[in-house]
Amino acid sequence: MTTALLRTADELHARARAGRRAVVMTMGALHEGHATLIRTAREIAGDQGEVVVTVFVNPLQFGKGEDLDRYPRTLDADVKIAEQAGADVVFAPSVDEVYPGGEPQVRVDAGPMGERLEGAMRPGHFDGMLTVVAKLLHLTRPDVALYGQKDAQQLALIRRMVRDLNFGVEIVGVPTVREEDGLALSSRNRYLSPAERRTALALSRALFAGRDRHAAQEALRARAREVPATRARAEALSAIGESRAAADAHAVAKAVPGGPAGVRAAARLVLDEAARLQPPLVLDYLALVDPSDFTEVADDFTGEAVLAVAARVGTTRLIDNIPLTFGAAS
């Protein structure tokens, strides 16, 4: 299969369609994370469907002083990666094709969720992102669009836009792809020197430390549920030396139901240590949030959450996150 490189929406619309069209939106500089998205899109579209990969560096989502000019542009290599992963089309429009007549006067407003975390660090970023996603959804007309969970806030906002504004498209999130050392794949990783990369590993290590603390706390909670704290049960367990373990499990479960504070503390410890490295990690934020609106969760929270981190190493800014589920209180 040869992947077609198209530059205009008219060329894309002229293609005969059979089956579902799945779209993967990128800014180019494709890597294995993008390839995983494309392969997943191929599975969803099936042999009779079509996979379209967009390559467009969107100027609206870069703020003053950000890396628009130095953002890598590697279209020839991108087409090869897309082809190997199963794409039928690479749609690489010019800025004039996407924004005829200049920057659009009417844009999508990301609302309050777009002002938190990444939005607070990069004002206007999510307005620009949602505007181009809306445009590309209209230009490519997909049945399903896939986005990586590494950009968790972006994914949440796209889902919200599609729901709130009645876009007729299914949104699929694909888990983060990591390198062997745990670093989340990103086009910006290429900017890191060897020393900076060693420091950057603190992002994933902090998330994994939070995840491990969460798993330990959830195990204690499960233990508490399995061992009822009744006098009769405690007396029976005392004969085999388990009553103290049961009491400890109940005490911990009662003191930290769900344990968001413990998760934050475990992750923060790793980040604080990385701040003393050379070069240092400069933290923008560490947050444990509700994915429905990206507000911080309370210490008694139950349900799905996202542990997110953003930091700078040298001149490179990186983000990462992992999903966590806090069980219902017993």
Side-chain angles (χ1 to χ4, degrees), residues 250-301:
H250 278 288
V252 172
K254 185 175 182 180
V256 284
V263 169
R264 292 187 187 95
R268 173 72 67 172
L269 184 62
V270 176
L271 297 171
D272 287 346
E273 291 174 351
R276 296 188 288 271
L277 297 176
Q278 289 299 327
L281 182 140
V282 181
L283 183 67
D284 280 348
Y285 61 77
L286 171 70
L288 184 59
V289 298
D290 183 334
S292 68
D293 59 8
F294 268 69
T295 57
E296 286 281 349
V297 303
D299 286 344
D300 60 351
F301 177 83

